[in-house]
Amino acid sequence: MSIHLIVLAAGEGSRMESDRPKVLHEIAGAPMIVHALGVADSIETGERVVVVGHGGEDVRETVVNLDEDIRVVEQAEQLGTAHAVTMAGPALEGATGDAVVLYGDTPFIRPETLADMSQARKDGADIVVLGFKAADPARYGRLLTDGDTLTRIVEWKDATEVERAITLCNSGVIMAEASTLLRLAAAVGNGNAAGEYYLTDIVELGRAEGLTAKVVTCPEAETLGINTRADLAAAEAVFQTNARQSAMVNGATLLAPESVYFSYDTHIGRDAIVEQNVIFAPGVTVESGARIRAFSHLEGAHVGAGAVVGPYARLRPGSELSNGVKIGNFVEVKNATIADGAKVNHLSYIGDADIGADTNVGAGTITCNYDGVFKHKTTIGERVFVGSNTMLVAPVTIGNEAMTATGTIVTLDVPEGDLAIGRPRQENKPGLARRLFQKLRAAKAAVKKG
Ligand code: UD1
Ligand code: CA
């Protein structure tokens, strides 16, 4: 059975000291709201509704870019979490089945946890609240229980000393039948210490009608909410720890896991080896058995099986490396396909290019792809030998099994099997070096005396 998602993202987030809406701050290269919505990848969802604040255009754009089926509704004034939920009412008009309330600034709720809550609903609870044992309960709402029944949620501001001593806290995630949730949220009043419409009040309201409420718990790390830059850094650390763990569980070797940084969408194949200090920006897939050597930075790149990248390599968006390709130290690749077994081992820039199978690109080779206005393409065939320090002035094509001599500036296409040589002819001046040295040393001695 599918679950409707209501993601609240209308909060101020003022403690970020930022001009950017809080939920657009990124964790592992994706806005935190994208992480929060990510549970939908693993559970069957019905409607997905995001509640944004007044002027939440940037949030709307991010969400709609992610998936245009997600509904975005506005809560002009932040009158409280219950009020925010009621804003989703029209989008859920006539919806059957359960709905769950998530927060855009609480990005790590696992799909398994929502499945546990769903199970508690099936087992008969009308309202299911996700709780956690807080190491430092601080200002979280407290869950008041009687046996395994949830009797009430009390906000810290309204709690007595005895209630504040409770360590079972409210994560904010609440599940109920969509129509029940919306009806109860609309019935909530604001006669509390904060003068807000608290969603948490639906537990008492529901119980007064004879509905039952239960708590499902999860580890505290999962409910991590982000209010400050320090929280954001902590969330990044949690993400990275989990990503390293799952890369290893899935069969990758990380030589120094704590020095490898993943993005939300990084895929690392079985038996891939990732050396120290490697950064995976968004959009990277590394196939099985590939090796990413130390200090490399990859973004928008596909690394084929058995390929070797780095140390100190940079793969930029559009890098497509086939099986067994070798990209060595201080090589930058952008928008280029490199076919099976080709090698670019040292100090090169390969941009807007296609390189054929088993071609060898010598040290210091540059594809001169940009004329200041337009980008141009370089096409290199199979089994080509590109001599060191070749300048490939694009657009240019080099045929199969051709060669370029070291230092050649290639401005014309090179036909298959030909050798291109284009460099000033060398001339030796007999004894001139020795005479020059003598003259210069004499000049230096004269300066010292004077
Ligand atoms: C809320 C819970 C509290 C829980 C805590 C967990 C209530 C009344 N309290 O408190 O029990 O322990 O979360 O973090 O629900 N939001 C809106 N519109 C609003 C108000 C809030 O969209 O009018 C959004 C915020 O963006 C945020 C979320 O709802 O993502 C929670 O709001 P916040 O004000 O942070 O609630 P807390 O006081 O932290
Ligand atoms: Ca909060």
Side-chain angles (χ1 to χ4, degrees), residues 297-439:
H297 188 286
L298 294 81
E299 177 175 10
H302 180 260
V303 178
V308 179
V309 174
Y312 298 97
R314 178 166 185 210
L315 302 185
R316 290 173 51 207
S319 296
E320 276 288 333
L321 315 189
S322 293
N323 299 344
V325 163
K326 291 211 161 74
I327 299 296
N329 43 280
F330 305 107
V331 172
E332 174 178 343
V333 180
K334 184 214 79 170
N335 188 34
T337 62
I338 304 186
D340 287 4
K343 293 176 185 157
V344 188
N345 270 333
H346 332 267
L347 300 155
S348 289
Y349 172 59
I350 304 297
D352 303 310
D354 285 338
I355 298 182
D358 298 319
T359 281
N360 187 87
V361 176
T365 295
I366 305 287
T367 53
C368 310
N369 62 326
Y370 186 47
D371 59 17
V373 180
F374 296 105
K375 300 279 170 63
H376 302 283
K377 184 157 184 184
T378 301
T379 305
I380 303 177
E382 298 179 357
R383 296 175 302 283
V384 171
F385 183 86
V386 178
S388 295
N389 205 33
T390 296
M391 299 293 121
L392 298 157
V393 183
V396 73
T397 298
I398 299 183
N400 292 339
E401 295 179 350
M403 276 188 174
T404 70
T406 291
T408 293
I409 299 173
V410 179
T411 54
L412 306 172
D413 289 351
V414 183
E416 189 168 333
D418 285 7
L419 169 83
I421 178 160
R423 60 192 184 200
R425 187 169 285 277
Q426 182 175 330
E427 197 187 335
N428 293 341
K429 309 276 189 191
L432 181 58
R434 191 161 293 134
R435 294 199 299 281
L436 265 178
F437 274 134
Q438 278 163 4
K439 203 168 143 185

Side-chain angles (χ1 to χ4, degrees), residues 112-148:
E112 292 86 341
T113 299
L114 298 187
D116 288 348
M117 294 178 75
S118 220
Q119 188 58 48
R121 279 275 301 124
K122 288 193 191 99
D123 293 345
D126 296 302
I127 301 169
V128 179
V129 170
L130 183 64
F132 63 101
K133 282 272 182 199
D136 170 17
R139 288 166 181 260
Y140 285 117
R142 306 300 205 264
L143 301 183
L144 278 52
T145 51
D146 180 4
D148 62 354

Side-chain angles (χ1 to χ4, degrees), residues 53-107:
H54 179 64
E57 282 317 305
D58 295 348
V59 180
R60 180 187 299 269
E61 205 186 307
T62 300
V63 166
V64 171
N65 276 341
L66 180 69
D67 187 338
E68 59 188 10
D69 292 339
I70 302 175
R71 308 276 294 268
V72 180
V73 300
E74 191 180 288
Q75 181 196 26
E77 263 187 292
Q78 278 67 71
L79 302 179
T81 45
H83 180 257
V85 166
T86 62
M87 297 296 112
L92 291 175
E93 185 83 60
T96 55
D98 283 358
V100 64
V101 178
L102 301 172
Y103 294 167
D105 65 0
T106 306

